[in-house]
Amino acid sequence: MLKQTEGSKAVAEAIALCRPEVICAYPISPQTHIVEALGEMVKSGELPKCEFINVESEFAAMSVAIGSSAAGARSYTATASQGLLFMVEAVYNASGLGLPIVMTVANRAIGAPINIWNDHSDSLSQRDSGWMQLFAETNQEAVDLHIQAFKLAEELSMPIMVCMDGFILTHAFERVDIPSQEQVDAYLPPFDPRQMLDPAEPISIGAMVGPEAFMEVKYLAHAKQLQALELIPQLAAEFKQTFGRDSGGLVRTYRADDAETMIVAMGSVLGTIKDVVDEMREQGHKVGVLGIISYRPFPLQQVREALVNCKRFLVLEKSLAVGMGGIVATDVRMAVRGTGLKGYTAIAGLGGRPIPKTSLHKLFLEAEQESLEPVTFVDLDWDAVNKQLERERQNRHSGPIAENMLHDKGMSTAAKFG
Amino acid sequence: MANKPFAITLKPGTSLNNLTGSWRTARPVYLDRLPPCNNACPAGEDIQGWLFHAESGDYEQAWRALVENNPLPAVMGRVCYHPCESACNRGQLDSSVGINSVERFLGDEAIRRGWKFAAAAAASGKKVLVVGAGPSGLSAAYHLARMGHKVEIQEAGPLAGGMMRFGIPKYRLPREVLDAEVQRILDLGVTLKLNCKVAHIEQSMQDGGFDAAFLAVGAHIGKRAMIPAGDAAHIVDAVSVLRSMEGEDKPMLGRKVVVYGGGNTAVDVARTVKRMGAEPIIVYRRTRDKAPAHDFEIEEALQEGVMIKWLSTIKQAGDSSITIEKMALDDKGFPQPTGEFETLEADSVVLALGQDVDLSLLDGLPGLEIKNGTVQVAPNMMTGHAGIFAGGDMVPSERTVTVAVGHGKKAARNIDAWLRGTAYQPAPKHELAEAGNLNTWYYSDADKTVRPMLDIIRRQTSFDEVQGGLDETTALFEARRCLSCGNCFECDNCYGVCPDNAVIKLGPGKRFEFKYDYCKGCGLCVAECPCGAIKMVPEDI
Amino acid sequence: MGFQTVKFYQTGTFTVGNRLLAPDERSVQAGEMRSNSISSGHRACQGCGEALGARYAIDAAMAESNGQLIAANATGCLEVFSTPYPESSWQVPWIHSLFGNAPAVATGIAAALKVKGKHDVRVVAQGGDGGTTDIGFGCLSGMFERNDDVLYICYDNEAYMNTGVQRSSATPPAARTATTMPVGNEPGNVFGQGKNLPEIAMAHGIPYVATATVADLRDLEYKVRKAMKIRGARYIQIFVPCPLGWGTASDATILMARLAKETGTFPVFEAEYGEVTGVLKIRNKLPVEEYLKPQKRFAHLFGKHAHPEMIARLQAIADRNIRKYGLLQDQES
């Protein structure tokens, strides 16, 4: 059913259609609207046979989900940013125990400085946690990925994060096609847990494993994700059969057939990128797009196939490996190793910094001209940065960086009234 | 488990593959220790054993366990001075278990319910002569009869019981109780010949065709003391007084009766005399705490109005008075004369200075050794003459009913062995269960039950039994106060407190076993065993 | 309170078993059919109080739930010694997730059971004092506050034993641990710190809070069984001496628990909806020295450089417990 609705609300409805049995959540912007809506649905009876638990922290949220999933209940939670970091220990534990929990990450920057706006630092920080990570480009895709996610997670008995850009998607009102319960039921079978806490078969879950078997356990988790590389396209195909829509999969290309310059990105920024590419195509530039949906497992082969025919690529990512550069870019470069392709990294949109089309336009042209530095910080205020660096060169005790920068930008209270 | 996550998810109970017994440096082992009550019992009763049955209210079983060693529980429950209770470890906790009162309860219960002894073993074809129907003789006769031997008791007196009848006053041992227990022994097929004094033992054995004899004639001859006395002075001995109480002619002692001596017999006489309406005064040369009489008897006598002159000796006896000299204890605790005299009114003087044995039946018997007026016996109770055994007051030992009963049992076992041409080998004694072996935390607080006492007026004026018995509830209470020192009573503590589940419970009556495959040797079972029935022994490593 | 007052070992009994009691009055541990929730072959130290306490508690919970029990376990000795790959000691469905999240995991299990209509299956969570009073405290408080249908059992041995005896917020004053060494003017753990978790639990107003020790099996079983009859959040703190961490003989584990109770050092009580409803009275009150002296962790209070003033302060703490809970026989509780 087509609806003009908020992304969070749409996702909440999708989750409800998946018949979750235990939902637990701790509020953090910009995830709140999702769980608020679910809480209301449980309380009103609209979502029956479901326990909604208001926990005291994200750590507890993930822990409750661990318990409920281990006891055989389809379990869901949502978080973002600091919340994700606060539950990290349990995040690793959920995957280590092989519990098919589905979690929405409403992507948001990580402090300090505290910042509620979107980038991908949070879920990317969990790159190696053993969770699968799927990135939605639109709210429609967010809805669809959640439905696929339950099926994928339960098939493999591994947890999944469905990542959607905070505010940009979660709080955006768009037209979304919400599937019917019949459709979802046809696609998603009831949870048949691979292991379950049950007095009839009293297994011990969560043993201490020493050097004699630890590596094998870790390899098996890796093997699971390799299996997912085959399963994800399969589930997307099944999804198309049931719902009549292309959604999900490992990667998606746009105007890439004859592209000489490929822009690689994840999430909602792909929409802006496509607009810019359309404009550039009209101007005769052979630019194409590669959207990565499955960040974990990382589809090395599919990325390589998508890029192997271009001449250069630019990875635009909303994340920064401080002291290194791109995070996604590193993986993409790994995918094209040996091809001799020129690759560039652009760090953009950290902490919600807008990524205007004009900036992208300029960036893509420079990429095409191969005049970019290996790592580019899109729309960075070099004046402010340089001033601070200069100050620090002169004085070790130069004061808080953030405050100084605001001052330089004429935005601090001190500057206003001082 | 094949489809469960590798290594992280495990099958239940698989730790059984890990044999932690290899950690152990010492292992717990179950053992039986000798309870101090049993150890102290001159009659060799398995006190703890019969209390065990009494604890569950199975009095018949308790009585049957008791009479395995002692056929006179109702008597014993009245006259025994219960060294078991003095030894009882519970005495260090609150007060000792009232073993004697439970024994009496069981004995009385048996009489009341008419319980009989188990049938005797198959007849051995051997005949044994028992001389004397006192406690020792009756005990021997009982055991020998149950072993299948033909037993005949020849008793010089007119009634069975010996000192139990002619030495212990009625108010301590009602005669119907004694009669009932004697009769039960006779019911086993023991022949009792009364008024049948054995003059010559060899002759009697030969005449009756006896294969062995047990002599238990007791010590009935009152010891005399050299007291300068006038012709009119009325001096009698205690044994005669007590004996005459059983006959038609009660002794004529007058109003003021001086009893000379500090033993139980002296007290018995004084209390008897008091009940006859006289005014007894005990004269004893030492102090109360040096007196051989049991203190509770002295106390009861004092309660009843018996006067006692401590530290006094009789210097002279006249027709209606005596002169006594005050004594003082020297450094070593011996009484020494002070030269200070006093005169007491005395219509008669009863000497309670101990008794001698009438050994006339042994005259000319070869191989015997007589020392200090008693017959010497080997550890197997046999005299120097093969086939003739002796026990009770006529052999050197403490002269109590309980000791005598013990002698009877011991002699019976040895006679039995001798008749079969073997030697009786007593089971080796276990190590003693001492208070330090126990964990008394587990015993709840429960003070001893006090037996009812007859009111004082009736005590002074009648021969009614002074001390009452326990009723069923109080007997049960008292039995349950037993700590079961040194012997497992299946409290399940070891089974429960083992952090390693290394104890197997074998079921009621079967106790426990250690699973040494898993026992780490922590010793908790030993520390928490209430009764000290487990100990640690080092592992050979 | 805990068990009926009885007079003899046979019927009154402080022992595990009792051949003279009616079968329904016998302890779970006395039964040949007890579940032995933690099998032999586990790797707990010799004389481990926690291994003992856990079996007592879980067996009792198993008995009360007719074997329909799931356990969540915090990281710690109990977890490590019971489930090192490839062997598990547990006979109950059991999960270990993390050090600090056992209460939340249990909440999740309880929620799953509820939603699946498995009302007969019950949930316990368990952990040591560190996992309970420190790192797991947030989750525990949350579980209490929501009144989730979980019995949480804390095995209190008063320090982080698994990591090598470091101080926890349940470590008593003056005790030596690896992080409160017996040096300086006030050797050992400082006075005036630490958490009283049973009281904090009571402050949540949950249906049931109790303390127990491995020295009072019947009381312990009574409390676990009572707790299992109640729905909602319940908390039992079981005092489990640790021979290794306390420096006591392996056979003194139960004795130490008994002395802790008999000196008033560890008050044994139960509370419903925040109100104390019963206390286990002291049988024979003892001075705290009796409890402290056998423990090497308190050795610095005695001997050549003794600290009688610190012993006096520990005595004062015990006396306050006695007053506060009415632990003496003739006191109103």
Side-chain angles (χ1 to χ4, degrees), chain B residues 6-8 10-20 23-25 51-53 55-56 90 439-446 476-484 489-493 495-503 505-508 515 518 520-524 527-528 530, chain C residues 6-20 28-34 36-49 51-52 55-56 82-92 214-218 249-255 258 261-262 283-284:
Chain B
F6 170 70
I8 310 164
L10 304 175
K11 274 192 219 170
T14 39
S15 65
L16 290 170
N17 295 326
N18 185 32
L19 303 184
T20 51
W23 301 13
R24 200 171 53 231
T25 56
L51 279 174
F52 181 85
H53 296 294
E55 284 156 21
S56 55
R90 179 136 205 157
N439 186 337
T440 54
W441 165 265
Y442 289 102
Y443 303 104
S444 46
D445 308 314
L476 188 67
F477 179 102
E478 205 50 39
R480 288 180 174 183
R481 294 182 66 244
C482 172
L483 309 180
S484 190
F489 59 91
E490 297 183 33
C491 74
D492 294 326
N493 252 20
Y495 178 62
V497 303
C498 176
D500 296 293
N501 298 0
V503 177
K505 181 171 173 172
L506 299 173
K515 282 190 271 188
Y518 300 109
K520 295 170 185 162
C522 70
L524 263 177
E528 301 305 323
Chain C
V6 211
K7 297 199 161 74
F8 311 97
Y9 70 71
Q10 292 91 345
T11 50
T13 186
F14 301 105
T15 62
V16 167
N18 191 327
R19 65 191 172 94
L20 301 182
V28 173
Q29 283 307 309
E32 286 164 80
M33 300 306 290
R34 71 185 187 196
N36 277 336
S37 307
I38 308 175
S39 304
S40 303
H42 62 69
R43 291 148 199 261
C45 302
Q46 291 162 320
C48 173
L52 183 58
R55 194 191 71 229
Y56 280 179
S82 66
T83 55
Y85 166 80
E87 295 154 357
S88 169
S89 298
W90 294 97
Q91 299 285 2
V92 296
V214 288
D216 289 282
L217 168 71
R218 283 162 192 281
S250 64
D251 65 355
T253 300
I254 292 172
L255 173 68
R258 186 178 299 136
K261 180 223 155 199
E262 291 291 282
R283 252 178 111 196
N284 301 299

Side-chain angles (χ1 to χ4, degrees), chain A residues 5 11 62 70 93 106 152 158 186 234 241 253 276 339 341 356 402 405:
Chain A
T5 187
V11 165
M62 183 48 61
N93 189 253
L152 178 60
M158 287 299 263
Q234 218 173 297
Q241 276 187 344
T253 53
V276 173
T339 58
L341 278 173
M405 302 271 279

Side-chain angles (χ1 to χ4, degrees), chain A residues 41-108:
Chain A
M41 282 187 259
V42 171
K43 199 157 169 58
S44 69
E46 191 184 330
L47 174 48
K49 290 185 187 167
C50 181
E51 287 288 303
F52 184 88
I53 302 167
N54 285 299
V55 290
E56 72 282 357
S57 73
E58 286 87 358
F59 178 67
M62 183 48 61
S63 300
V64 168
I66 287 169
S68 55
S69 183
R74 183 170 284 165
S75 304
Y76 170 81
T77 186
T79 191
S81 182
Q82 315 297 135
L84 181 61
L85 293 199
F86 196 60
M87 66 164 68
V88 165
E89 194 192 10
V91 166
Y92 274 74
N93 189 253
S95 60
L97 296 179
L99 298 171
I101 298 160
V102 172
M103 173 164 67
T104 306
V105 177
N107 290 110
R108 172 184 146 181

